[in-house]
Amino acid sequence: MVITSLAPSHKNKENQHKAIQSWRMHDTKIVSVNHISEINELKNEYDVEFIEPDRTGWGIFGRHYVPASELLKVIRKEGSGLIINSDIIIKDLPKFGNNPVIFNRHDFIDTMDKSILFRSGFDAFYLRSEHCNLPETNLCLGQCHWDYWLPIMLMQNGFSIERPVDAYIFHKKHELQYSMLNWEKTSTIFSQETGIKGSNQSISQKAFSHITSRLINI
């Protein structure tokens, strides 16, 4: 099962369509978690299963971004799944075991044959239900730092996280869709929720170093 939160106003909507096409190649159930106001718009364009979250990031961001913990609820119910950003193309997937698995994407402009590893963030997580008993978060897909929060929380709960070294997921580059103001907001939220302190820049650096030093490359 693939779980995401489709963006109704994605600046590069065709990237979402191509991503979903690649997910279907793996004969998997596709679930998108969205506020009801977005579902009414998205269901006419995307043939996926939609689920309403219990809450969104409206009060923080002024839009119905979905907290990462809302996607964890889907995995707890279904048993296992791959949380993924909505415009990420899956070329292949490894065989999953009992550990959580984290993926770095490979960025490209024209063709995936000429892609570059994106090292400073993560775009997909394979999790089983037993990995998902984590705290609620206000960090949302479509904004920053949720991809640091999730592995930090998993590690704080004693899980070892595997990271494939081969290229499995790809992303066509586009303009940033978040503002520096929101980046600062999410940095503050991340610090409050994880206990990692410092300036906004140092918080991200500390988190990234903490995560990557503990990953098991496979």
Side-chain angles (χ1 to χ4, degrees), residues 5-14 16 34 37-38 41-42 45-46 62-65 86 142-143 174-178:
S5 182
L6 292 172
S9 57
H10 200 291
K11 292 181 180 178
N12 298 277
K13 186 166 58 176
E14 67 276 10
Q16 286 193 149
N34 290 88
S37 63
E38 296 181 346
E41 178 182 349
L42 290 164
E45 188 169 358
Y46 298 94
R63 286 183 55 186
H64 288 297
Y65 293 107
S86 65
Q143 291 294 326
H174 55 76
E175 294 180 6
L176 294 178
Q177 299 204 64
Y178 61 86

Side-chain angles (χ1 to χ4, degrees), residues 183 187 191 196-206:
W183 184 86
S187 179
S191 177
I196 297 176
K197 305 298 184 182
S199 66
N200 287 333
Q201 192 64 39
S202 68
I203 288 169
S204 295
Q205 292 171 348
K206 288 177 183 178

Side-chain angles (χ1 to χ4, degrees), residues 54-73:
D54 291 328
R55 62 190 183 90
T56 72
W58 178 268
I60 300 171
F61 303 107
R63 286 183 55 186
H64 288 297
Y65 293 107
V66 176
S69 48
E70 291 296 307
L71 279 69
L72 299 182
K73 294 177 182 178

Side-chain angles (χ1 to χ4, degrees), residues 19-168:
I20 292 173
Q21 289 174 5
S22 74
W23 304 345
R24 293 201 190 285
M25 296 294 292
H26 296 275
D27 192 28
T28 186
K29 178 180 179 180
I30 300 173
V31 172
S32 183
V33 183
N34 290 88
H35 187 264
I36 185 60
S37 63
E38 296 181 346
I39 292 175
N40 290 334
E41 178 182 349
L42 290 164
K43 67 182 180 181
N44 294 322
E45 188 169 358
Y46 298 94
D47 183 20
V48 304
E49 179 180 335
F50 288 100
I51 293 177
E52 293 180 51
D54 291 328
R55 62 190 183 90
T56 72
W58 178 268
I60 300 171
F61 303 107
R63 286 183 55 186
H64 288 297
Y65 293 107
V66 176
S69 48
E70 291 296 307
L71 279 69
L72 299 182
K73 294 177 182 178
V74 180
I75 295 180
R76 286 203 298 267
K77 180 180 178 181
E78 297 286 341
S80 65
L82 184 76
I83 295 176
I84 192 167
N85 278 322
S86 65
D87 60 353
I88 298 298
I89 294 170
I90 298 176
K91 184 177 181 181
D92 198 2
L93 288 173
K95 183 178 180 180
F96 295 122
N98 293 324
N99 288 331
V101 182
I102 191 172
F103 292 83
N104 290 104
R105 74 180 191 235
H106 291 250
D107 281 335
F108 67 97
I109 297 175
D110 297 314
T111 172
M112 289 190 293
D113 295 332
K114 297 180 180 180
S115 63
I116 298 174
L117 176 65
F118 182 71
R119 298 181 181 276
S120 59
F122 308 99
D123 284 81
F125 298 84
Y126 170 78
L127 302 171
R128 298 166 64 93
S129 57
E130 58 264 31
H131 306 145
C132 296
N133 294 316
L134 304 179
E136 293 282 318
T137 182
N138 287 316
L139 297 168
C140 301
L141 273 70
Q143 291 294 326
C144 300
H145 290 97
W146 77 270
D147 61 324
Y148 285 5
W149 173 87
L150 185 47
I152 290 288
M153 288 295 103
L154 288 167
M155 290 173 177
Q156 288 184 359
N157 279 269
F159 294 108
S160 299
I161 305 176
E162 298 176 349
R163 176 175 60 177
V165 296
D166 292 335
Y168 286 102

